[in-house]
Amino acid sequence: MLRVLLVGLSAHLVCMAAGLPAFAQEATSPATDVSAADAQVLQLTDHLDFESVSNPQISPDGEQVLYTRRRIDKMNDSYVSTLWLMNADGSNKRQLMEGGSALWSPDGSQIALTKRDKDGKTQIFVRSMQGEGLLTQITSYENAPRSMAWSPNGEMIAFVARVPAKPAMSVNLPGRPKGAKWKEDPVFIDTLHYRQDRVGYTNGGFDHLFVVPTTGGTPRQLTDGEWNVGNRRLSVIAGSPVLSWSPDGQTIAFDGPGKAVEIPHFFESHINLIDVDSGEITRLTEGDGHPNFVSPVFSPNGNRIAFSGYTAHNTSYPVADLFVIDSAGGKPTPITSELPDGPSDLKWHPNNRRVYFAMNHEGARHLHQADLNGNVEQLTEGRRVVRLTSISDNGRLAVTFGGPQSPRAVAVTHARARWQLNPLTEVNADVLFGKELGEVEEFWIESEAETGETARVQGWIVKPPMFDETKDYPLLLSIHGGPHAMYNTDFNFTFQEFAARGYVVLYMNPRGSTGYGSDFVNAIRHRYPGPVDYADLMNSVDEVISRGYIDEDRMFVTGCSGGGVLTTWVIGNTDRFAAAAALCPVTNWIGMSGTTDVVGWLYNFFPAPFWEDPKPWLDHSPLMTVGNVTTPTLLMTGTKDIRTPLAEAEVYYSALKMRGVDTMLIPMPNEYHGTRSTPSNYLRTSLILRQWFDRYDPAKQEDE
């Protein structure tokens, strides 16, 4: 019997120590011994020194760049974000202060940022960029402000924050003695969506729009009612919508329903304008079939608004297009059609005639521009992941970009530079100095499922450093989450670290992945997990095996979220595998429908509610195939996970135990969705996977 070890290490659904078993202690594991050769490759402990850069904001005059630099605080097992400033050519780098989400004021004399106040709550601050850099706290809001946007005159900042709702019910307990310490009242819930992963449970409330003077003062609430400012992505309860001021400072554009909505309209979103003085709301877009229009951005002259979205659809993942509408009203004009994936990071060119955007396509993410006649041009190229964050008044773009062997860096690019991307930061040069990384090879295959359906499928192989094709290596297959997500060619520490330990890492995008057009992403509609995504995974494994350097008895399976779903589906449909690790899986769709925070999304995943037609809900639940499983299987989910709750892993674990299959359950402490949002849990997750696979690796058993 051929046995394959499949590994999926992504933590998405759509897709971040006490009590652990003794085998998870690194000091006792022979797998963690470091030889002289090991010192020249990536080590797990290098993760503690690894840093990231994000959110580069170019000054209005195009001369300076703010960016956020995040590192690990080893003593407190947490991440720390600091704001840095440099010239637009990368010179004169210096740290400003702790904080994040920085934005330049329109005249470049100040920045707004978020950081924790003395009570530990995230608030908005304004810092002068002149003189001694006076810092002023301008909000003291109970709930963290989000989605900051400066007014054109620099006198106000708009933001979104949650406004508590009146309780659905209350009780006055009789007989309570004065000063008695009785338990708190329960939460009274009467809404469909009342919890969110990494937010928790809520007793009600809605996101609304505020403005606050940049000199400080009391925020003024502009919107109210039983509806949310911002698109309800996945129908969760809190988001970070785009807010855009008109150049005259009179109105703010935002997305969201603009009024109270009921089931099944929770995905509906429109482009709205609100008068800052009167609070009067004007809806610019209309449409039937639950349209979803998001991310409005005023043109520099205020005549038009660009946004992305889609109209009526009957798919599980509608691919968005770029639209433009006159700010005075009228019919939206679609600027693009049939894109491989939706446009994001929208920015107007200063000439008001072009819109820049970023888009995922075939494992990469690149800058594009579209003119008002619908002519689309790709501006950057190569195996890169480019994210657009800001534009200066003279048309310079600040971006981040990374590649398979290049961690993310900040760059500034523009038309006169022919859109070249030159790294202005190298925050991990010290960590990677002298280390040999694994080569990343791209491949494509024609994949055919048992149903006869075929597709061209893309994947990548990460080879161990000092790779020798005459040797046999173990294989790790990484299955991404989502399922509507896309593995890309950005630098991946986890994959490189596994490769450094001698594994060939395989990651790929099966049908259902984004970035390949509507037909590809919706091929799993009403049948996930199922025949086509399973076939793509197995055919990709076979492709790598055919190259002759894989030991077929030493190949391993894991994945988190959607990757956990497919991991349990795979081992229920084949006995090729030596061991599996399903992280944050869904195993029972009916059970999940009442415990997840994405109820609306889930009910859209099957043709009818389960009480009308339970068959597809059951046919595509991995729990229904658990009787076929012989693969030793580890299950791990965060104890706070309310996206794919722990019960999904527990029910599968119990079934395996009843059947006598080798299994282990690990509720990861202090984690929401995913198992590695804190630095130490990242290390634990890696070590646990490593040692679980070692238990069932024939070569490891021979060594012992």
Side-chain angles (χ1 to χ4, degrees):
M1 177 184 67
L2 295 179
R3 300 196 302 172
V4 177
L5 229 63
L6 298 174
V7 177
L9 304 170
S10 175
H12 308 76
L13 178 65
V14 138
C15 170
M16 333 138 297
L20 293 181
F23 84 94
Q25 302 304 311
E26 180 172 11
T28 63
S29 171
T32 63
D33 291 342
V34 179
S35 66
D38 290 334
Q40 304 306 312
V41 299
L42 205 62
Q43 303 292 319
L44 182 59
T45 51
D46 289 330
H47 175 72
L48 297 173
D49 295 314
F50 214 74
E51 297 185 58
S52 65
V53 292
S54 63
N55 192 40
Q57 295 291 318
I58 193 163
S59 59
D61 62 8
E63 296 300 319
Q64 298 185 91
V65 179
L66 278 165
Y67 60 99
T68 302
R69 185 168 171 172
R70 192 175 81 150
R71 63 175 175 81
I72 290 174
D73 180 347
K74 300 177 187 178
M75 298 303 295
N76 294 298
D77 197 16
S78 62
Y79 292 95
V80 176
S81 292
T82 53
L83 294 176
W84 286 64
L85 183 66
M86 63 181 171
N87 294 336
D89 62 1
S91 62
N92 195 23
K93 295 182 180 69
R94 63 270 195 199
Q95 180 177 322
L96 290 180
M97 58 181 296
E98 287 193 4
S101 304
L103 293 174
W104 290 95
S105 64
D107 65 0
S109 65
Q110 302 177 93
I111 62 171
L113 61 121
T114 59
K115 65 183 295 289
R116 294 186 184 277
D117 64 10
K118 59 182 178 60
D119 297 320
K121 294 182 178 180
T122 299
Q123 302 293 346
I124 297 175
F125 291 74
V126 169
R127 184 189 191 275
S128 172
M129 298 301 286
Q130 302 171 345
E132 298 180 355
L134 178 66
L135 182 69
T136 304
Q137 180 175 339
I138 65 167
T139 65
S140 300
Y141 205 70
E142 181 177 351
N143 296 310
R146 290 169 274 126
S147 304
M148 294 186 300
W150 284 89
S151 65
N153 62 9
E155 295 179 359
M156 288 190 290
I157 291 176
F159 65 91
V160 170
R162 178 148 288 257
V163 177
K166 182 180 179 180
M169 182 184 294
S170 62
V171 292
N172 293 316
L173 299 181
R176 180 185 304 193
K178 185 177 180 180
K181 297 180 180 180
W182 288 18
K183 302 300 182 184
E184 66 275 7
D185 288 338
V187 175
F188 298 96
I189 296 169
D190 67 349
T191 59
L192 180 63
H193 298 111
Y194 53 88
R195 55 193 162 192
Q196 183 175 338
D197 199 69
R198 304 190 185 279
V199 175
Y201 288 76
T202 174
N203 60 354
F206 298 92
D207 284 351
H208 282 295
L209 179 59
F210 294 78
V211 291
V212 63
T214 54
T215 53
T218 303
R220 178 163 59 92
Q221 185 174 336
L222 297 184
T223 62
D224 60 17
E226 296 183 352
W227 57 279
N228 291 287
V229 169
N231 169 45
R232 297 296 89 183
R233 180 178 174 269
L234 294 178
S235 63
V236 296
I237 62 173
S240 296
V242 171
L243 306 178
S244 181
W245 288 79
S246 61
D248 62 9
Q250 296 300 304
T251 59
I252 298 173
F254 66 92
D255 57 37
K259 62 179 182 180
V261 295
E262 298 180 354
I263 300 171
H265 296 271
F266 30 71
F267 291 117
E268 190 167 318
S269 178
H270 291 278
I271 304 304
N272 307 281
L273 296 180
I274 186 167
D275 185 280
V276 176
D277 292 331
S278 69
E280 181 181 354
I281 296 175
T282 302
R283 176 188 284 185
L284 290 184
T285 57
E286 298 295 340
D288 298 323
H290 317 314
N292 191 276
F293 300 126
V294 300
S295 304
V297 182
F298 270 102
S299 61
N301 62 14
N303 293 338
R304 297 182 177 93
I305 296 173
F307 59 94
S308 65
Y310 48 84
T311 55
H313 69 92
N314 186 29
T315 62
S316 61
Y317 184 88
V319 177
D321 277 307
L322 176 64
F323 292 81
V324 170
I325 190 171
D326 289 345
S327 56
K331 186 177 180 180
T333 301
I335 302 301
T336 64
S337 64
E338 298 183 356
L339 293 174
D341 203 10
S344 60
D345 307 341
L346 309 185
K347 310 291 178 190
W348 280 92
H349 188 280
N351 67 12
N352 300 286
R353 296 194 298 269
R354 297 197 298 274
V355 179
Y356 297 116
F357 62 92
M359 183 178 66
N360 293 328
H361 185 207
E362 296 183 351
R365 180 179 177 89
H366 284 294
L367 296 182
H368 296 71
Q369 66 178 7
D371 65 24
L372 299 183
N373 294 320
N375 299 307
V376 178
E377 179 184 2
Q378 182 174 318
L379 303 179
T380 57
E381 59 185 17
R383 300 168 69 191
R384 289 172 165 172
V385 175
V386 185
R387 295 172 174 85
L388 171 60
T389 52
S390 63
I391 183 170
S392 67
D393 293 342
N394 58 7
R396 291 184 172 186
L397 302 179
V399 305
T400 61
F401 75 102
Q405 294 185 312
S406 304
R408 196 173 302 171
V410 173
V412 172
T413 189
H414 48 90
R416 285 178 295 173
R418 299 180 183 273
W419 306 109
Q420 292 182 3
L421 298 176
N422 298 312
L424 302 180
T425 58
E426 293 181 301
V427 298
N428 292 301
D430 52 347
V431 178
L432 299 179
F433 179 78
K435 290 186 168 64
E436 182 173 347
L437 297 174
E439 175 192 352
V440 180
E441 176 189 343
E442 178 182 327
F443 70 89
W444 289 82
I445 61 169
E446 289 293 330
S447 177
E448 182 175 1
E450 290 183 355
T451 60
E453 299 164 276
T454 61
R456 188 166 178 259
V457 175
Q458 183 183 25
W460 297 267
I461 303 165
V462 187
K463 298 175 182 178
M466 298 162 284
F467 177 75
D468 184 348
E469 64 180 9
T470 66
K471 294 182 178 180
D472 288 340
Y473 293 90
L475 178 70
L476 308 175
L477 171 67
S478 170
I479 308 176
H480 73 62
H484 299 318
M486 182 190 79
Y487 266 146
N488 59 43
T489 56
D490 213 348
F491 184 86
N492 190 302
F493 184 96
T494 299
F495 294 168
Q496 286 288 345
E497 196 266 329
F498 266 105
R501 291 192 283 109
Y503 291 93
V504 170
V505 179
L506 165 63
Y507 64 104
M508 48 83 62
N509 288 322
R511 273 169 277 191
S513 302
T514 57
Y516 303 88
S518 181
D519 290 345
F520 192 93
V521 71
N522 288 295
I524 62 170
R525 169 83 162 152
H526 294 160
R527 52 175 182 169
Y528 167 75
V532 295
D533 42 11
Y534 173 75
D536 295 345
L537 291 168
M538 294 301 95
N539 291 335
S540 294
V541 170
D542 291 339
E543 167 66 21
V544 181
I545 291 173
S546 72
R547 299 180 179 219
Y549 49 74
I550 299 300
D551 183 342
E552 296 183 52
D553 290 325
R554 300 181 60 212
M555 298 166 40
F556 288 77
V557 72
T558 199
C560 182
S561 193
V565 173
L566 281 169
T567 296
T568 52
W569 185 258
V570 162
I571 61 177
N573 283 274
T574 181
D575 61 359
R576 298 178 73 187
F577 311 112
L583 280 59
C584 37
V586 178
T587 62
N588 174 14
W589 292 116
I590 293 177
M592 181 196 180
S593 69
T595 57
T596 184
D597 67 335
V598 290
V599 177
W601 173 86
L602 180 53
Y603 272 91
N604 185 54
F605 226 69
F606 294 102
F610 62 81
W611 56 86
E612 293 180 5
D613 182 11
K615 190 175 188 303
W617 293 71
L618 296 173
D619 287 349
H620 298 282
S621 289
L623 187 63
M624 296 296 100
T625 64
V626 74
N628 302 331
V629 177
T630 59
T631 307
T633 303
L634 172 77
L635 295 130
M636 178 163 41
T637 299
T639 57
K640 297 180 178 180
D641 193 332
I642 49 179
R643 181 64 48 86
T644 59
L646 180 59
E648 292 294 310
E650 290 176 319
V651 67
Y652 200 85
Y653 167 79
S654 298
L656 291 179
K657 273 294 187 185
M658 289 294 295
R659 295 192 57 249
V661 178
D662 283 0
T663 186
M664 182 176 291
L665 175 68
I666 302 178
M668 184 63 81
N670 304 311
E671 289 287 347
Y672 285 99
H673 192 50
T675 62
R676 53 182 187 172
S677 67
T678 57
S680 65
N681 281 346
Y682 179 93
L683 303 181
R684 290 187 182 94
T685 297
S686 182
L687 290 171
I688 289 167
L689 293 181
R690 179 188 306 185
Q691 294 184 51
W692 181 255
F693 298 147
D694 284 353
R695 283 189 174 191
Y696 302 97
D697 185 334
K700 300 292 184 180
Q701 307 313 313
E702 292 173 4
D703 291 343
E704 292 180 0

